[in-house]
Amino acid sequence: MNRRRNTWCCNSTAAALVLAVSTAMASTPRPDFPDFKQVVHVVRQQFATVRPTWRPIELITQSQVRAALDTLAARGWKVSDRDAILKSVIADGDSLAVQLNTPAGRKFSERIASLPGGYDRVDRLRKIPRGERFLKDMIAGPDGDKLIEYFTTTPGGAEMGRMLGSVPGGARFNQPTGMIYTERQFIARLAESYQRDLAERQSTDASSGR
């Protein structure tokens, strides 16, 4: 039953992301405002410069997002909640970014990216006592992702997460962190910002008679 519920939650989240992006793409921009297809192109192009083997499932960092936002500003869209978005992205020097930006870390990322809340649970796990050491061992081991799979897809994992919620640093262990971890999540967040900023511009234009 819990496995079906987790799958449903994952599918519902994916559907919400698709809806946000689709709605943004259907919006009609001003002539000096990029359409959302251009926004998506800029983001994907920016992240692709990281390395030839870059994959959208990998962890993104603030420097990548900052560069994408700067490029969008140069194209005519200064994202109004830029600072809030940046605060929701892992810093380049954060230990999670350092550990996942290695060959072994990228392989680990590939395995957890498809799990419902996989990155969220990894982020929660490293903040409990000895969590950083444990994460290093999981990345180095051949089946480290199996624990994250257990946490995110099984009743026993959910129960263990509730238990970890009572240890230092483990609060809300089973809940999303609210952070933006991947290119896909970043594009979905931009879709929300785009709809809001475009509506504000159109309202301003209507008020000024443009």
Side-chain angles (χ1 to χ4, degrees):
M1 179 66 179
N2 283 55
R3 181 181 292 273
R4 288 198 298 271
R5 185 180 299 113
N6 283 333
T7 302
W8 180 86
C9 290
C10 184
N11 291 340
S12 297
T13 300
L17 297 181
V18 170
L19 178 61
V21 173
S22 299
T23 302
M25 285 185 166
S27 302
T28 304
R30 285 173 32 158
D32 61 341
F33 198 68
D35 63 39
F36 198 70
K37 288 182 180 179
Q38 292 173 314
V39 170
V40 173
H41 177 73
V42 164
V43 170
R44 289 176 175 167
Q45 189 175 51
Q46 183 66 50
F47 288 142
T49 64
V50 175
R51 75 180 74 85
T53 58
W54 169 260
R55 301 182 66 184
I57 60 170
E58 294 182 40
L59 182 75
I60 62 175
T61 61
Q62 287 182 358
S63 64
Q64 295 169 267
V65 170
R66 186 178 294 108
L69 293 172
D70 287 346
T71 303
L72 290 174
R75 300 288 180 89
W77 178 30
K78 293 183 178 181
V79 181
S80 61
D81 56 347
R82 172 192 175 103
D83 290 344
I85 289 175
L86 284 171
K87 288 179 181 178
S88 299
V89 178
I90 297 291
D92 291 64
D94 187 283
S95 61
L96 183 62
V98 173
Q99 291 193 62
L100 294 185
N101 190 29
T102 63
R106 287 191 283 274
K107 289 181 181 178
F108 180 76
S109 296
E110 183 177 354
R111 294 194 293 267
I112 66 167
S114 62
L115 298 173
Y119 275 111
D120 297 81
R121 211 66 88 251
V122 167
D123 205 356
R124 297 283 193 196
L125 182 65
R126 71 191 181 107
K127 294 174 182 176
I128 66 174
R130 296 184 294 279
E132 291 280 3
R133 178 69 259 177
F134 197 38
L135 178 57
K136 288 181 181 179
D137 292 341
M138 285 197 301
I139 291 174
D143 297 314
D145 60 294
K146 296 302 182 183
L147 177 60
I148 305 304
E149 182 179 2
Y150 178 72
F151 274 131
T152 58
T153 63
T154 70
E159 179 59 30
M160 184 180 292
R162 282 191 286 272
M163 293 171 62
L164 287 174
S166 62
V167 307
R172 296 173 56 82
F173 189 87
N174 288 337
Q175 302 303 313
T177 64
M179 298 292 286
I180 301 170
Y181 297 106
T182 65
E183 178 182 307
R184 181 183 183 185
Q185 290 178 320
F186 177 47
I187 290 173
R189 174 62 182 272
L190 283 178
E192 298 174 4
S193 302
Y194 185 87
Q195 293 177 61
R196 183 173 57 252
D197 289 357
L198 178 59
E200 184 174 341
R201 282 198 174 208
Q202 291 172 333
S203 176
T204 300
D205 287 352
S207 299
S208 61
R210 291 184 183 179

